[in-house]
């Protein structure tokens, strides 16, 4: 379709590849956490960041699958520095455990890419009794960001390099319930519509990025399906 080939102000389009976008960028010395890194956008993001020299921590629900993705990347890029850590974003206990273990590892954190998600499943509740899409796509990432924020700040101060938080959203945020985010009906099974609930969670991703930008007075930019925060002044 024509829209995917139309270039924006950056010179790239929706059909541009990660390798094209990062051509000429040296990410050596940077550490990135990528959620949902065992497949799709997350796996490709991990591969290309590693290709550019970044140390990538794959935050994945299935560690065995994540390890296989890591192995395939290492075959292509032997010098790649990649670690795999368990993270189930639908479980707030798992999010807290991941953040605690990451902090204990003494790894710095330059880039946090909130990518993992589920799309339009039948109604079901998370371990914390929250509608699964809202729990996984928004609340898990919201908590993860809060728990890793001090690490991001400290790394930016010590390295004198801007940090990044990327919330991967979707054009689906435009197709949600008429009320927008229905906080009083998150767990209402009777009125649940899988695609509207997905759009609701993606809208929450964008509002989360907006609020982070407001609180930290940093530049905010919505690029395609990514809402990115650029940390420059702490």
């Amino acid at each position: 379709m024509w829209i995917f080939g139309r270039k924006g102000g950056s010179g790239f389009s929706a059909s541009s590849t990660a390798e094209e976008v990062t051509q000429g960028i040296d990410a050596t010395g940077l550490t990135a956490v990528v959620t949902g890194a065992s497949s799709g956008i997350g796996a490709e993001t991990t591969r290309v960041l590693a290709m550019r020299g970044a140390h990538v921590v794959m935050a994945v629900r299935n560690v065995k699958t994540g390890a296989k993705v890591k192995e395939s990347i290492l075959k292509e890029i032997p010098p790649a520095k990649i670690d795999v850590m368990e993270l189930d974003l639908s479980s707030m206990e798992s999010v807290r455990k991941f953040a605690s273990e990451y902090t204990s590892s003494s790894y710095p954190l330059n880039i946090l890419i909130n990518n993992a998600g589920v799309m339009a499943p039948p109604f079901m509740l998370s371990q914390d009794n929250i509608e699964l899409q809202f729990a996984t796509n928004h609340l898990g990432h919201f908590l993860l960001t809060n728990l890793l924020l001090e690490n991001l700040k400290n790394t930016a101060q010590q390295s004198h390099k801007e940090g990044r938080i990327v919330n991967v959203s979707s054009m689906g945020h435009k197709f949600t319930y008429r009320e927008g985010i229905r906080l009083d009906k998150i767990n209402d099974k009777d009125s649940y519509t899988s695609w509207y609930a997905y759009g609701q969670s993606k809208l929450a991703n964008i509002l989360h990025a907006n609020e982070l930008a407001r609180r930290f007075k940093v530049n905010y930019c919505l690029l395609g399906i990514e809402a990115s925060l650029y940390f420059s002044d702490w």
Side-chain angles (χ1 to χ4, degrees):
M1 294 176 62
W2 66 271
I3 192 171
F4 294 110
R6 186 175 64 183
K7 294 183 178 180
S10 65
F12 299 107
S13 72
S15 61
S16 298
T17 67
E19 288 192 32
E20 291 171 344
V21 172
T22 60
Q23 185 66 41
I25 293 178
D26 182 4
T28 302
L30 301 181
T31 300
V33 168
V34 181
T35 70
S38 60
S39 64
I41 293 174
E44 178 65 0
T45 299
T46 297
R47 185 185 73 84
V48 175
L49 283 174
M51 175 186 291
R52 302 306 180 207
H55 170 206
V56 184
V57 176
M58 300 173 64
V60 299
R61 185 174 58 180
N62 189 317
V63 174
K64 289 184 178 180
T65 302
K68 290 180 180 179
V69 173
K70 173 184 174 179
E71 289 174 8
S72 69
I73 295 174
L74 289 175
K75 287 181 180 179
E76 178 189 352
I77 312 165
K81 187 176 181 182
I82 301 172
D83 287 295
V84 179
M85 294 179 64
E86 184 176 7
L87 172 62
D88 180 355
L89 283 151
S90 70
S91 165
M92 300 307 110
E93 180 181 0
S94 177
V95 173
R96 292 183 184 280
K97 182 173 182 288
F98 173 89
S100 176
E101 291 178 351
Y102 191 90
T103 300
S104 297
S105 73
S106 298
Y107 288 150
L109 182 57
N110 303 94
I111 306 167
L112 172 60
I113 301 181
N114 292 323
N115 162 75
V118 293
M119 181 186 290
F123 179 84
M124 61 184 76
L125 298 177
S126 70
Q127 296 178 29
D128 302 291
N129 291 316
I130 302 168
E131 189 276 311
L132 187 64
Q133 294 190 86
F134 200 75
T136 304
N137 299 354
H138 173 57
L139 292 180
H141 283 127
F142 180 90
L143 178 59
L144 179 67
T145 300
N146 282 357
L147 294 175
L148 295 180
L149 201 53
E150 285 305 309
N151 193 326
L152 276 161
K153 290 180 181 180
N154 292 336
T155 301
Q157 289 176 337
Q158 294 169 12
S159 67
H160 303 291
K161 295 179 180 178
E162 295 178 347
R164 298 286 190 275
I165 296 176
V166 179
N167 283 355
V168 179
S169 187
S170 165
M171 288 299 292
H173 79 275
K174 294 185 176 182
F175 306 99
T176 184
Y177 299 103
R178 291 181 62 184
E179 309 96 305
I181 298 176
R182 307 190 310 173
L183 293 175
D184 59 336
K185 295 183 179 180
I186 292 294
N187 289 352
D188 188 348
K189 182 178 180 179
D190 292 336
S191 63
Y192 176 81
T193 301
S194 60
W195 284 106
Y196 283 172
Y198 174 73
Q200 173 177 250
S201 70
K202 294 290 99 180
L203 175 58
N205 291 155
I206 292 174
L207 294 178
H208 178 210
N210 268 323
E211 180 60 17
L212 284 169
R214 185 189 70 82
R215 292 193 179 197
F216 293 104
K217 298 180 180 179
V218 295
N219 296 324
Y220 167 76
C221 182
L222 180 62
L223 302 173
I225 62 169
E226 296 184 358
S228 305
L229 290 174
Y230 302 83
F231 291 85
S232 58
D233 184 6
W234 297 103

mmCIF file of all heavy atoms in Angstrom, residues 15-54:
data_model
loop_
_atom_site.group_PDB
_atom_site.id
_atom_site.type_symbol
_atom_site.label_atom_id
_atom_site.label_comp_id
_atom_site.label_asym_id
_atom_site.label_seq_id
_atom_site.Cartn_x
_atom_site.Cartn_y
_atom_site.Cartn_z
ATOM 1 N N SER A 15 7.906 1.061 5.834
ATOM 2 C CA SER A 15 8.513 -0.122 5.221
ATOM 3 C C SER A 15 10.029 -0.172 5.431
ATOM 4 O O SER A 15 10.683 -1.130 5.023
ATOM 5 C CB SER A 15 8.208 -0.158 3.714
ATOM 6 O OG SER A 15 8.749 0.974 3.063
ATOM 7 N N SER A 16 10.594 0.859 6.080
ATOM 8 C CA SER A 16 12.032 0.866 6.350
ATOM 9 C C SER A 16 12.370 -0.223 7.363
ATOM 10 O O SER A 16 11.614 -0.474 8.299
ATOM 11 C CB SER A 16 12.471 2.223 6.906
ATOM 12 O OG SER A 16 12.247 3.260 5.976
ATOM 13 N N THR A 17 13.513 -0.869 7.184
ATOM 14 C CA THR A 17 13.925 -1.929 8.102
ATOM 15 C C THR A 17 14.727 -1.354 9.262
ATOM 16 O O THR A 17 15.239 -0.226 9.194
ATOM 17 C CB THR A 17 14.785 -2.975 7.378
ATOM 18 O OG1 THR A 17 16.034 -2.367 7.002
ATOM 19 C CG2 THR A 17 14.080 -3.504 6.140
ATOM 20 N N ALA A 18 14.865 -2.144 10.315
ATOM 21 C CA ALA A 18 15.643 -1.715 11.477
ATOM 22 C C ALA A 18 17.102 -1.487 11.095
ATOM 23 O O ALA A 18 17.756 -0.572 11.605
ATOM 24 C CB ALA A 18 15.541 -2.762 12.582
ATOM 25 N N GLU A 19 17.618 -2.320 10.203
ATOM 26 C CA GLU A 19 19.003 -2.144 9.764
ATOM 27 C C GLU A 19 19.174 -0.826 9.012
ATOM 28 O O GLU A 19 20.184 -0.130 9.173
ATOM 29 C CB GLU A 19 19.434 -3.319 8.886
ATOM 30 C CG GLU A 19 19.644 -4.609 9.649
ATOM 31 C CD GLU A 19 20.340 -5.677 8.813
ATOM 32 O OE1 GLU A 19 21.166 -5.309 7.949
ATOM 33 O OE2 GLU A 19 20.055 -6.864 9.022
ATOM 34 N N GLU A 20 18.195 -0.474 8.188
ATOM 35 C CA GLU A 20 18.270 0.785 7.447
ATOM 36 C C GLU A 20 18.225 1.979 8.394
ATOM 37 O O GLU A 20 18.989 2.935 8.246
ATOM 38 C CB GLU A 20 17.115 0.867 6.448
ATOM 39 C CG GLU A 20 17.219 -0.113 5.293
ATOM 40 C CD GLU A 20 15.961 -0.155 4.444
ATOM 41 O OE1 GLU A 20 14.901 0.336 4.905
ATOM 42 O OE2 GLU A 20 16.030 -0.692 3.324
ATOM 43 N N VAL A 21 17.331 1.914 9.368
ATOM 44 C CA VAL A 21 17.154 3.032 10.298
ATOM 45 C C VAL A 21 18.391 3.246 11.163
ATOM 46 O O VAL A 21 18.732 4.379 11.514
ATOM 47 C CB VAL A 21 15.914 2.789 11.184
ATOM 48 C CG1 VAL A 21 15.820 3.828 12.295
ATOM 49 C CG2 VAL A 21 14.648 2.819 10.336
ATOM 50 N N THR A 22 19.094 2.161 11.509
ATOM 51 C CA THR A 22 20.249 2.268 12.408
ATOM 52 C C THR A 22 21.585 2.286 11.674
ATOM 53 O O THR A 22 22.638 2.246 12.311
ATOM 54 C CB THR A 22 20.258 1.097 13.409
ATOM 55 O OG1 THR A 22 20.331 -0.147 12.679
ATOM 56 C CG2 THR A 22 19.013 1.108 14.271
ATOM 57 N N GLN A 23 21.550 2.345 10.361
ATOM 58 C CA GLN A 23 22.788 2.356 9.584
ATOM 59 C C GLN A 23 23.700 3.494 10.051
ATOM 60 O O GLN A 23 23.283 4.644 10.165
ATOM 61 C CB GLN A 23 22.477 2.536 8.098
ATOM 62 C CG GLN A 23 23.695 2.435 7.186
ATOM 63 C CD GLN A 23 24.303 1.047 7.183
ATOM 64 O OE1 GLN A 23 23.586 0.049 7.164
ATOM 65 N NE2 GLN A 23 25.618 0.974 7.213
ATOM 66 N N GLY A 24 24.949 3.161 10.365
ATOM 67 C CA GLY A 24 25.915 4.174 10.777
ATOM 68 C C GLY A 24 25.900 4.494 12.257
ATOM 69 O O GLY A 24 26.709 5.300 12.731
ATOM 70 N N ILE A 25 24.998 3.880 13.017
ATOM 71 C CA ILE A 25 24.914 4.135 14.460
ATOM 72 C C ILE A 25 25.777 3.133 15.220
ATOM 73 O O ILE A 25 25.698 1.928 14.985
ATOM 74 C CB ILE A 25 23.454 4.038 14.953
ATOM 75 C CG1 ILE A 25 22.635 5.190 14.362
ATOM 76 C CG2 ILE A 25 23.393 4.059 16.478
ATOM 77 C CD1 ILE A 25 21.176 5.156 14.737
ATOM 78 N N ASP A 26 26.592 3.632 16.122
ATOM 79 C CA ASP A 26 27.430 2.781 16.964
ATOM 80 C C ASP A 26 26.841 2.767 18.373
ATOM 81 O O ASP A 26 26.873 3.774 19.077
ATOM 82 C CB ASP A 26 28.863 3.313 16.992
ATOM 83 C CG ASP A 26 29.805 2.430 17.811
ATOM 84 O OD1 ASP A 26 29.352 1.365 18.289
ATOM 85 O OD2 ASP A 26 30.978 2.810 17.975
ATOM 86 N N ALA A 27 26.276 1.633 18.769
ATOM 87 C CA ALA A 27 25.644 1.518 20.085
ATOM 88 C C ALA A 27 26.559 0.847 21.105
ATOM 89 O O ALA A 27 26.106 0.443 22.178
ATOM 90 C CB ALA A 27 24.340 0.734 19.969
ATOM 91 N N THR A 28 27.834 0.748 20.784
ATOM 92 C CA THR A 28 28.791 0.140 21.705
ATOM 93 C C THR A 28 28.773 0.860 23.047
ATOM 94 O O THR A 28 28.795 2.089 23.106
ATOM 95 C CB THR A 28 30.215 0.201 21.119
ATOM 96 O OG1 THR A 28 30.229 -0.458 19.853
ATOM 97 C CG2 THR A 28 31.208 -0.466 22.054
ATOM 98 N N GLY A 29 28.701 0.093 24.124
ATOM 99 C CA GLY A 29 28.693 0.682 25.454
ATOM 100 C C GLY A 29 27.307 0.944 26.002
ATOM 101 O O GLY A 29 27.161 1.303 27.176
ATOM 102 N N LEU A 30 26.276 0.763 25.169
ATOM 103 C CA LEU A 30 24.906 0.967 25.626
ATOM 104 C C LEU A 30 24.280 -0.363 26.039
ATOM 105 O O LEU A 30 24.593 -1.405 25.472
ATOM 106 C CB LEU A 30 24.056 1.597 24.522
ATOM 107 C CG LEU A 30 24.513 2.950 23.973
ATOM 108 C CD1 LEU A 30 23.539 3.439 22.910
ATOM 109 C CD2 LEU A 30 24.644 3.975 25.091
ATOM 110 N N THR A 31 23.395 -0.308 27.020
ATOM 111 C CA THR A 31 22.667 -1.497 27.468
ATOM 112 C C THR A 31 21.177 -1.261 27.283
ATOM 113 O O THR A 31 20.648 -0.227 27.691
ATOM 114 C CB THR A 31 22.958 -1.807 28.946
ATOM 115 O OG1 THR A 31 24.362 -2.028 29.111
ATOM 116 C CG2 THR A 31 22.201 -3.050 29.394
ATOM 117 N N ALA A 32 20.513 -2.231 26.650
ATOM 118 C CA ALA A 32 19.085 -2.108 26.360
ATOM 119 C C ALA A 32 18.317 -3.301 26.910
ATOM 120 O O ALA A 32 18.786 -4.438 26.838
ATOM 121 C CB ALA A 32 18.860 -2.008 24.852
ATOM 122 N N VAL A 33 17.142 -3.040 27.446
ATOM 123 C CA VAL A 33 16.201 -4.091 27.824
ATOM 124 C C VAL A 33 15.084 -4.083 26.795
ATOM 125 O O VAL A 33 14.487 -3.033 26.523
ATOM 126 C CB VAL A 33 15.614 -3.856 29.233
ATOM 127 C CG1 VAL A 33 14.432 -4.796 29.483
ATOM 128 C CG2 VAL A 33 16.673 -4.071 30.299
ATOM 129 N N VAL A 34 14.805 -5.246 26.208
ATOM 130 C CA VAL A 34 13.735 -5.373 25.221
ATOM 131 C C VAL A 34 12.742 -6.409 25.729
ATOM 132 O O VAL A 34 13.098 -7.581 25.903
ATOM 133 C CB VAL A 34 14.276 -5.805 23.842
ATOM 134 C CG1 VAL A 34 13.131 -5.898 22.831
ATOM 135 C CG2 VAL A 34 15.346 -4.838 23.347
ATOM 136 N N THR A 35 11.508 -6.000 25.987
ATOM 137 C CA THR A 35 10.503 -6.968 26.427
ATOM 138 C C THR A 35 9.884 -7.648 25.207
ATOM 139 O O THR A 35 9.840 -7.081 24.116
ATOM 140 C CB THR A 35 9.395 -6.302 27.265
ATOM 141 O OG1 THR A 35 8.587 -5.459 26.430
ATOM 142 C CG2 THR A 35 9.991 -5.482 28.402
ATOM 143 N N GLY A 36 9.440 -8.880 25.401
ATOM 144 C CA GLY A 36 8.866 -9.624 24.282
ATOM 145 C C GLY A 36 9.883 -9.869 23.192
ATOM 146 O O GLY A 36 9.572 -9.821 21.999
ATOM 147 N N ALA A 37 11.117 -10.168 23.595
ATOM 148 C CA ALA A 37 12.233 -10.241 22.649
ATOM 149 C C ALA A 37 12.398 -11.599 21.982
ATOM 150 O O ALA A 37 13.340 -11.796 21.223
ATOM 151 C CB ALA A 37 13.532 -9.870 23.368
ATOM 152 N N SER A 38 11.493 -12.531 22.234
ATOM 153 C CA SER A 38 11.662 -13.874 21.679
ATOM 154 C C SER A 38 10.976 -14.071 20.333
ATOM 155 O O SER A 38 11.075 -15.144 19.734
ATOM 156 C CB SER A 38 11.142 -14.923 22.672
ATOM 157 O OG SER A 38 9.772 -14.712 22.946
ATOM 158 N N SER A 39 10.291 -13.032 19.834
ATOM 159 C CA SER A 39 9.632 -13.164 18.533
ATOM 160 C C SER A 39 9.318 -11.783 17.965
ATOM 161 O O SER A 39 9.391 -10.772 18.670
ATOM 162 C CB SER A 39 8.330 -13.972 18.657
ATOM 163 O OG SER A 39 7.397 -13.287 19.473
ATOM 164 N N GLY A 40 8.970 -11.753 16.678
ATOM 165 C CA GLY A 40 8.469 -10.543 16.039
ATOM 166 C C GLY A 40 9.362 -9.326 16.157
ATOM 167 O O GLY A 40 10.584 -9.399 15.989
ATOM 168 N N ILE A 41 8.733 -8.180 16.445
ATOM 169 C CA ILE A 41 9.451 -6.911 16.556
ATOM 170 C C ILE A 41 10.542 -6.994 17.613
ATOM 171 O O ILE A 41 11.648 -6.477 17.430
ATOM 172 C CB ILE A 41 8.469 -5.769 16.899
ATOM 173 C CG1 ILE A 41 7.514 -5.519 15.731
ATOM 174 C CG2 ILE A 41 9.228 -4.485 17.232
ATOM 175 C CD1 ILE A 41 6.422 -4.513 16.048
ATOM 176 N N GLY A 42 10.244 -7.663 18.728
ATOM 177 C CA GLY A 42 11.216 -7.752 19.813
ATOM 178 C C GLY A 42 12.471 -8.498 19.420
ATOM 179 O O GLY A 42 13.590 -8.083 19.751
ATOM 180 N N ALA A 43 12.318 -9.609 18.699
ATOM 181 C CA ALA A 43 13.473 -10.397 18.267
ATOM 182 C C ALA A 43 14.314 -9.619 17.262
ATOM 183 O O ALA A 43 15.549 -9.626 17.326
ATOM 184 C CB ALA A 43 13.009 -11.718 17.663
ATOM 185 N N GLU A 44 13.662 -8.938 16.327
ATOM 186 C CA GLU A 44 14.398 -8.161 15.326
ATOM 187 C C GLU A 44 15.083 -6.958 15.965
ATOM 188 O O GLU A 44 16.215 -6.608 15.604
ATOM 189 C CB GLU A 44 13.446 -7.704 14.218
ATOM 190 C CG GLU A 44 14.092 -6.849 13.129
ATOM 191 C CD GLU A 44 15.147 -7.574 12.303
ATOM 192 O OE1 GLU A 44 15.406 -8.778 12.551
ATOM 193 O OE2 GLU A 44 15.724 -6.934 11.397
ATOM 194 N N THR A 45 14.421 -6.333 16.924
ATOM 195 C CA THR A 45 15.034 -5.216 17.644
ATOM 196 C C THR A 45 16.286 -5.681 18.377
ATOM 197 O O THR A 45 17.328 -5.017 18.351
ATOM 198 C CB THR A 45 14.033 -4.612 18.649
ATOM 199 O OG1 THR A 45 12.894 -4.121 17.939
ATOM 200 C CG2 THR A 45 14.662 -3.477 19.437
ATOM 201 N N THR A 46 16.186 -6.832 19.020
ATOM 202 C CA THR A 46 17.337 -7.405 19.721
ATOM 203 C C THR A 46 18.486 -7.669 18.756
ATOM 204 O O THR A 46 19.646 -7.316 19.022
ATOM 205 C CB THR A 46 16.939 -8.725 20.411
ATOM 206 O OG1 THR A 46 15.939 -8.450 21.400
ATOM 207 C CG2 THR A 46 18.139 -9.386 21.073
ATOM 208 N N ARG A 47 18.174 -8.280 17.629
ATOM 209 C CA ARG A 47 19.203 -8.623 16.642
ATOM 210 C C ARG A 47 19.939 -7.384 16.143
ATOM 211 O O ARG A 47 21.179 -7.354 16.101
ATOM 212 C CB ARG A 47 18.569 -9.354 15.458
ATOM 213 C CG ARG A 47 19.576 -9.863 14.425
ATOM 214 C CD ARG A 47 18.875 -10.478 13.225
ATOM 215 N NE ARG A 47 18.261 -9.464 12.379
ATOM 216 C CZ ARG A 47 18.914 -8.781 11.429
ATOM 217 N NH1 ARG A 47 20.211 -8.999 11.215
ATOM 218 N NH2 ARG A 47 18.283 -7.883 10.696
ATOM 219 N N VAL A 48 19.196 -6.354 15.795
ATOM 220 C CA VAL A 48 19.820 -5.173 15.202
ATOM 221 C C VAL A 48 20.553 -4.337 16.248
ATOM 222 O O VAL A 48 21.632 -3.800 15.972
ATOM 223 C CB VAL A 48 18.776 -4.335 14.439
ATOM 224 C CG1 VAL A 48 19.398 -3.048 13.915
ATOM 225 C CG2 VAL A 48 18.205 -5.149 13.277
ATOM 226 N N LEU A 49 20.012 -4.234 17.455
ATOM 227 C CA LEU A 49 20.738 -3.531 18.510
ATOM 228 C C LEU A 49 22.064 -4.231 18.805
ATOM 229 O O LEU A 49 23.103 -3.581 18.983
ATOM 230 C CB LEU A 49 19.893 -3.461 19.782
ATOM 231 C CG LEU A 49 18.763 -2.432 19.810
ATOM 232 C CD1 LEU A 49 17.943 -2.589 21.084
ATOM 233 C CD2 LEU A 49 19.308 -1.009 19.708
ATOM 234 N N ALA A 50 22.023 -5.568 18.848
ATOM 235 C CA ALA A 50 23.254 -6.334 19.075
ATOM 236 C C ALA A 50 24.224 -6.139 17.917
ATOM 237 O O ALA A 50 25.442 -6.026 18.115
ATOM 238 C CB ALA A 50 22.922 -7.813 19.248
ATOM 239 N N MET A 51 23.700 -6.089 16.711
ATOM 240 C CA MET A 51 24.525 -5.857 15.524
ATOM 241 C C MET A 51 25.250 -4.518 15.619
ATOM 242 O O MET A 51 26.402 -4.388 15.191
ATOM 243 C CB MET A 51 23.642 -5.875 14.273
ATOM 244 C CG MET A 51 24.361 -5.530 12.979
ATOM 245 S SD MET A 51 23.210 -5.414 11.582
ATOM 246 C CE MET A 51 22.741 -7.140 11.409
ATOM 247 N N ARG A 52 24.581 -3.523 16.214
ATOM 248 C CA ARG A 52 25.171 -2.183 16.328
ATOM 249 C C ARG A 52 26.058 -2.038 17.559
ATOM 250 O O ARG A 52 26.583 -0.967 17.825
ATOM 251 C CB ARG A 52 24.066 -1.126 16.353
ATOM 252 C CG ARG A 52 23.149 -1.126 15.138
ATOM 253 C CD ARG A 52 23.902 -1.032 13.830
ATOM 254 N NE ARG A 52 23.006 -1.031 12.678
ATOM 255 C CZ ARG A 52 23.335 -1.457 11.471
ATOM 256 N NH1 ARG A 52 24.556 -1.936 11.252
ATOM 257 N NH2 ARG A 52 22.475 -1.422 10.473
ATOM 258 N N GLY A 53 26.201 -3.120 18.331
ATOM 259 C CA GLY A 53 27.153 -3.100 19.437
ATOM 260 C C GLY A 53 26.570 -2.981 20.827
ATOM 261 O O GLY A 53 27.312 -2.979 21.817
ATOM 262 N N ALA A 54 25.247 -2.876 20.951
ATOM 263 C CA ALA A 54 24.634 -2.742 22.275
ATOM 264 C C ALA A 54 24.614 -4.076 23.014
ATOM 265 O O ALA A 54 24.556 -5.147 22.401
ATOM 266 C CB ALA A 54 23.208 -2.217 22.141
#
